[in-house]
Amino acid sequence: MWWKILLFIAMSAMIVISFMTPAPQKMIGESSRIFYYHIPQAWLGVLAFLMSMVYSIKYLMNRRQADDDSAVNAARLGFVFIVLATVTGSIFAKVTWGSFWNWDPRETSVFILLLIYGAYFALRGALDVEEKRAALGAVYSIFAFVTVPFLIFVVPRMVPSLHPEDSIVNSEMKFSMGPIVRMIFFSSLALFTVLYFWMFNLAQRVQRMVRVQMELED
Amino acid sequence: MPNRSAGLANKTLAVYVKDLRLELRTRYALNAILMFGVTTLAVVSFAVGQTGLSPKLLAALYWVIMFFSAMSGLSQGFVREEETGTALALKLTADPTAVYLGKLFFNFSLLSTMTIIITPLFFVFTDAPNDNLAPFVLILILGVIGLCGATTLIAAIIAKAAVKGALFAVLSFPLLLTLLIGLISASQKVFDGQTIMEIGTDLQFLVAYAVIMITGSILLFKFVWQE
């Protein structure tokens, strides 16, 4: 219980500080504060996708229903975060680059990620036998994740990018943010990650209760 | 081990020959894929006019035609097994890797045939620059391998589902978009007159994509096939 109160206080403090301190990017100005929220969301979208894939591998190895439930819960949360990252990124793009969508490599990658999640849920919806749904969903999740390295490493080299290369890490692999910006950014990243695991845990417990109820009804 | 691998090659060949024979009897998939390709090509060519298209537009149009044609026919191999109820017999007689490779080669033959017919038509209809064909043929071969490598496993997945046709495109598109970006980028450079050496990075990308997708498919196929 105590850590939930602590999380609440810390997140409130982080949000307040993120608006009270000077804007992180002088050139862009006030709107650059969105970066404290946009990057953690994108990171969680990818992390959830990775977790979903790991649980899918576990399901294929052990065939335990619980692993499939976890994979779905991670994918659902990841979808929410990746939608949020797309929306915040699109607003930020409108402010700084002049249009909502530019087919920048990161935008392409996030779009493909959205499509993969969408296809994953579409596939699960089209299969009615539970074991079949779990196994085929797991295979698709793993197979789709195989393309992610291309999105991160190869596509950005083939398509010109508007995303700043040195916004977080510059070419010498050193952090290029000021100390206050860095503190707010990393606390935001950490707090959102804790929030994500809490949400994941809640989803897991709800799923377990649904399973118990289904067994009682049978 | 040599015994077993010889068995694998024989079984792969048997699956491939069986599918080829079945296809030659009905020509269902080939007709579908070919007519779809010709129709898309005609619509595109009609809409954008014949001459003066930029290399970028030509490359994009070509791969849009290829993508939709592939989507119309490549799922047939597995859907037919499920619909006629022969999947079970195949499961008993051949091991999953042989089935996968047989179907992969069959899809490769199907898409190659279609490419051989569609590509000259494309040059005729759109007046694309045809003085730099060697690198383009190389891109085509890698592109066809990549398309088949990614979609054969998806075809096996959707054969088990209730709504097959629409789902095939929905599941394939996110995986193929990465490949299509690479193919369009490479083809554009070829239409611009660049040589094989100059498009080396793009070719590496296409080879890596095909190798990763086919390896991933071989590892994952048995989980789909056993369902």
Side-chain angles (χ1 to χ4, degrees):
Chain A
M1 193 58 209
W2 60 269
W3 64 270
K4 289 174 191 167
I5 297 166
L6 206 65
L7 180 69
F8 174 74
I9 295 168
M11 280 207 99
S12 313
M14 187 274 292
I15 292 167
V16 171
I17 293 169
S18 76
F19 281 96
M20 299 300 284
T21 51
Q25 231 289 343
K26 296 281 179 315
M27 296 268 289
I28 300 168
E30 293 299 317
S31 60
S32 62
R33 294 183 202 282
I34 204 168
F35 128 101
Y36 292 132
Y37 304 94
H38 169 62
I39 296 176
Q41 286 156 359
W43 143 251
L44 286 177
V46 177
L47 177 77
F49 193 24
L50 178 69
M51 273 178 68
S52 180
M53 187 210 56
V54 171
Y55 278 117
S56 298
I57 294 176
K58 276 175 80 175
Y59 176 80
L60 287 183
M61 276 160 47
N62 305 323
R63 301 278 168 169
R64 276 177 41 226
Q65 191 60 54
D67 287 330
D68 181 56
D69 288 344
S70 308
V72 179
N73 286 334
R76 279 184 190 146
L77 280 176
F79 187 68
V80 172
F81 278 107
I82 217 76
V83 167
L84 284 173
T86 313
V87 171
T88 53
S90 186
I91 294 169
F92 197 28
K94 177 69 181 172
V95 174
T96 53
W97 303 333
S99 73
F100 284 113
W101 203 263
N102 308 287
W103 290 114
D104 170 89
R106 302 280 167 80
E107 287 177 343
T108 311
S109 318
V110 92
F111 178 71
I112 294 177
L113 215 52
L114 271 173
L115 285 180
I116 290 175
Y117 275 126
Y120 176 71
F121 294 126
L123 172 65
R124 294 186 68 95
L127 295 159
D128 37 15
V129 182
E130 188 146 36
E131 286 77 30
K132 215 180 234 189
R133 188 194 307 151
L136 297 181
V139 168
Y140 185 71
S141 172
I142 299 165
F143 196 50
F145 199 82
V146 167
T147 59
V148 168
F150 286 105
L151 298 180
I152 296 172
F153 298 113
V154 184
V155 174
R157 281 173 57 197
M158 301 175 77
V159 191
S161 175
L162 293 165
H163 267 88
E165 283 302 320
D166 53 356
S167 60
I168 304 168
V169 185
N170 67 13
S171 50
E172 281 101 47
M173 298 303 279
K174 286 189 192 124
F175 291 103
S176 61
M177 293 182 277
I180 300 168
V181 176
R182 193 188 313 174
M183 189 204 73
I184 302 170
F185 173 70
F186 280 105
S187 49
S188 168
L189 203 61
L191 291 170
F192 268 108
T193 310
V194 175
L195 184 70
Y196 162 78
F197 278 103
W198 185 15
M199 289 166 83
F200 181 67
N201 183 260
L202 284 176
Q204 294 280 76
R205 278 155 61 191
V206 170
Q207 190 75 40
R208 244 171 273 148
M209 270 147 68
V210 170
R211 292 254 168 244
V212 170
Q213 194 185 13
M214 275 163 65
E215 271 169 33
L216 287 178
E217 278 169 3
D218 279 345
Chain B
M1 283 317 274
N3 238 343
R4 203 182 156 274
S5 62
L8 181 67
N10 281 339
K11 280 177 181 165
T12 303
L13 195 67
V15 172
Y16 173 71
V17 169
K18 169 197 85 78
D19 270 353
L20 207 61
R21 191 175 295 152
L22 219 57
E23 179 57 35
L24 288 175
R25 274 183 203 152
T26 60
R27 280 183 295 280
Y28 179 85
L30 187 64
N31 282 340
I33 208 169
L34 208 57
M35 284 320 292
F36 212 97
V38 171
T39 312
T40 323
L41 175 63
V43 168
V44 160
S45 155
F46 201 70
V48 298
Q50 220 178 357
T51 48
L53 298 178
S54 69
K56 193 170 187 172
L57 198 56
L58 282 173
L61 290 178
Y62 183 79
W63 288 106
V64 165
I65 296 165
M66 287 291 285
F67 168 73
F68 280 107
S69 313
M71 286 299 99
S72 69
L74 289 189
S75 64
Q76 266 310 306
F78 283 105
V79 170
R80 186 158 49 200
E81 300 287 355
E82 295 291 333
E83 276 175 357
T84 53
T86 47
L88 192 63
L90 199 58
K91 249 175 246 181
L92 292 171
T93 46
D95 59 324
T97 313
V99 174
Y100 173 75
L101 289 176
K103 297 282 183 190
L104 178 69
F105 291 139
F106 173 70
N107 276 350
F108 180 72
S109 313
L110 198 61
L111 203 59
S112 304
T113 313
M114 179 260 172
T115 310
I116 289 167
I117 298 171
I118 289 290
T119 309
L121 284 177
F122 175 79
F123 281 97
V124 169
F125 272 117
T126 61
D127 212 16
N130 56 1
D131 46 356
N132 195 16
L133 281 182
F136 190 63
V137 170
L138 195 59
I139 294 172
L140 278 187
I141 294 169
L142 291 174
V144 170
I145 295 176
L147 278 170
C148 296
T151 52
T152 304
L153 184 75
I154 305 290
I157 292 177
I158 64 115
K160 315 271 180 185
V163 276
K164 295 180 174 67
L167 209 53
F168 186 51
V170 167
L171 294 189
S172 302
F173 184 63
L175 303 179
L176 291 181
L177 198 54
T178 328
L179 174 70
L180 289 175
I181 291 171
L183 286 171
I184 291 170
S185 148
S187 311
Q188 182 192 341
K189 287 174 188 163
V190 167
F191 287 142
D192 259 335
Q194 296 194 14
T195 59
I196 291 184
M197 296 306 285
E198 286 169 306
I199 58 166
T201 325
D202 295 85
L203 295 179
Q204 279 173 6
F205 165 78
L206 297 177
V207 171
Y209 181 90
V211 168
I212 289 181
M213 288 324 245
I214 292 172
T215 316
S217 300
I218 290 173
L219 290 175
L220 288 169
F221 182 72
K222 67 169 185 284
F223 296 110
V224 179
W225 192 232
Q226 281 161 2
E227 274 313 307

